[in-house]
Amino acid sequence: MKFSTFLKPIVLACTLASSMVHATEEVNIYTTREPGLLQPLLDQFTKDTGVKVNTVFVKDGLAERVTNEGNRSPADILMVVDIGRLTELSEKGLAQPIKSAVLEDVIPPQYRDPNGEWFALSLRDRILYVAKDLDLDHFTYEELADPKWKGKVCIRSGQHPYNTSLISAFIAHNGEAKTEEWLKGIKANLARKAAGGDREVARDILAGICDIGIANSYYVGRMRNEKEGSEQRQWGDAIKVIRPVFASAKDGGTHANVSGAVVAKYAPHKENAVKLLEYLVSDKAQAMYAKINYEYPVRKGTELDPIVASFGEFKADALPMSEVPKNRQKASELVDKVGFDN
């Protein structure tokens, strides 16, 4: 046997083995997150670990897509914002339980599934935007319905998941009947139709349409970091921030939603999926969440973006996140019942 003939099968086997090893060094993500906010984190993960990340950005219908793909789905991680959409993945049987000492050590119990099927990666608190010249330094969510704010409140649709989660938390704290009255009160106080986005709340405060409004904190970081003189920079500079609390809650605290992820039920690269989730709660990745996305890290002790830090100490509502999705359907029904968006 010629030497070359003897070596060929060995070389071929080694090449295939190398290819197989290379093929496993990847992880596939389906996500509804904005590419500009997530991609820097994924690029850093690949740089630090050598694991390639293949990302499918999905605007709508993520759960339906994975359901239709069934056990042939290439998805390893499903990543979304909003606790309702996160727990929905688990409820639809699209996630698998993960046991990770790292995730359990870093993520407080309030922000992860007791069965290990979903994990929050960052927090997004729902705060009060206030006209800068308004003499106001504290607020409760209940006060949004106070008649003294008649014609002075701006807010996006009550059916938007950000507001549905807030209303769900309100139900958990105050019950259904009081929540209905609260929504009627806010509806009566609206300066304009409940619509648009969170940044439009700041825009309309600058325009003098309203004095106060509910929106997420990270938009303030985005607006105030826009180019000097730009429209959004002017919107962000026109407001100050107050963190409301639930007057009815004993411990106090501001409602915060989450971004988070699950490991897909049929993940072909499960090991790398867990590796990525653990990376996303590392010191480095959590600092990027704070500085790129202006979100609150789930990892304690992470340095905040200076703009977000200027809002003062953040104390989250103590209500377990798992309680919020339980009231979402009722919250949505109440929004329709009082004609909140009409």
Side-chain angles (χ1 to χ4, degrees):
M1 179 182 295
K2 292 182 179 179
F3 184 69
S4 59
T5 304
F6 173 75
L7 278 182
K8 275 183 179 177
I10 297 177
V11 172
L12 179 60
C14 290
T15 301
L16 287 173
S18 175
S19 299
M20 290 176 68
V21 169
H22 178 72
T24 59
E25 293 305 311
E26 62 182 359
V27 61
N28 303 321
I29 297 180
Y30 286 9
T31 180
T32 60
R33 299 227 61 178
E34 294 180 28
L37 301 180
L38 182 61
Q39 198 60 53
L41 285 157
L42 303 181
D43 291 343
Q44 192 63 49
F45 171 72
T46 298
K47 183 178 179 181
D48 290 347
T49 65
V51 178
K52 180 183 178 184
V53 183
N54 306 306
T55 312
V56 176
F57 291 101
V58 182
K59 188 173 182 180
D60 299 303
L62 186 151
E64 290 74 14
R65 175 170 178 162
V66 180
T67 299
N68 291 335
E69 290 175 346
N71 60 9
R72 294 172 298 174
S73 175
D76 295 305
I77 287 180
L78 311 177
M79 184 179 293
V80 296
V81 297
D82 179 60
I83 185 62
R85 288 174 174 166
L86 184 60
T87 55
E88 178 189 28
L89 299 172
S90 178
E91 292 165 358
K92 289 188 172 181
L94 302 177
Q96 61 175 296
I98 296 299
K99 189 70 175 177
S100 163
V102 173
L103 295 174
E104 292 176 8
D105 181 57
V106 173
I107 305 173
Q110 182 184 5
Y111 301 118
R112 54 181 164 83
D113 179 29
N115 298 317
E117 291 199 358
W118 56 264
F119 301 90
L121 301 172
S122 65
L123 307 181
R124 305 146 64 88
D125 54 329
R126 199 127 183 90
I127 60 175
L128 188 75
Y129 291 2
V130 183
K132 270 193 168 177
D133 59 352
L134 198 62
D135 185 18
L136 189 67
D137 57 12
H138 64 275
F139 203 79
T140 67
Y141 290 110
E142 284 85 345
E143 286 181 272
L144 282 169
D146 190 319
K148 75 178 182 181
W149 297 111
K150 188 173 181 61
K152 298 179 178 179
V153 177
C154 285
I155 195 168
R156 72 192 309 166
S157 166
Q159 292 292 6
H160 191 279
Y162 298 166
N163 281 337
T164 308
S165 289
L166 172 62
I167 297 166
S168 299
F170 198 95
I171 293 173
H173 284 299
N174 297 287
E176 184 179 332
K178 288 186 177 179
T179 303
E180 181 177 343
E181 291 305 308
W182 179 63
L183 289 174
K184 288 179 179 176
I186 300 174
K187 166 76 175 175
N189 286 344
L190 292 180
R192 57 160 169 74
K193 184 176 180 179
D198 282 2
R199 277 173 281 209
E200 280 69 32
V201 173
R203 178 198 66 187
D204 291 346
I205 287 175
L206 174 64
I209 296 173
C210 42
D211 288 343
I212 61 173
I214 291 290
N216 284 349
S217 62
Y218 58 85
Y219 286 113
V220 182
R222 294 188 197 178
M223 290 187 290
R224 291 186 183 172
N225 274 294
E226 289 290 339
K227 186 178 179 181
E228 187 80 40
S230 65
E231 281 191 334
Q232 291 203 26
R233 179 63 177 269
Q234 294 178 53
W235 303 347
D237 288 340
I239 60 170
K240 59 182 180 180
V241 165
I242 293 176
R243 288 204 177 88
V245 298
F246 291 100
S248 51
K250 292 181 180 178
D251 297 332
T254 301
H255 172 68
N257 210 320
V258 301
S259 75
V262 308
V263 174
K265 183 176 182 179
Y266 301 108
H269 309 99
K270 178 182 175 181
E271 185 177 339
N272 285 339
V274 175
K275 182 184 291 186
L276 176 54
L277 289 187
E278 291 177 344
Y279 183 86
L280 291 175
V281 299
S282 67
D283 285 326
K284 178 184 285 188
Q286 287 287 292
M288 294 180 72
Y289 268 108
K291 293 176 182 176
I292 297 174
N293 297 352
Y294 310 105
E295 296 175 337
Y296 273 87
V298 290
R299 187 184 189 96
K300 289 184 178 179
T302 304
E303 185 177 358
L304 299 175
D305 175 85
I307 291 175
V308 178
S310 72
F311 302 160
E313 182 184 2
F314 170 49
K315 181 181 179 181
D317 180 23
L319 181 73
M321 290 305 299
S322 57
E323 293 297 309
V324 175
K326 296 178 182 177
N327 297 316
R328 285 177 65 90
Q329 181 61 38
K330 181 55 64 180
S332 176
E333 291 171 2
L334 288 178
V335 167
D336 284 343
K337 185 177 181 180
V338 305
F340 194 86
D341 291 349
N342 296 340

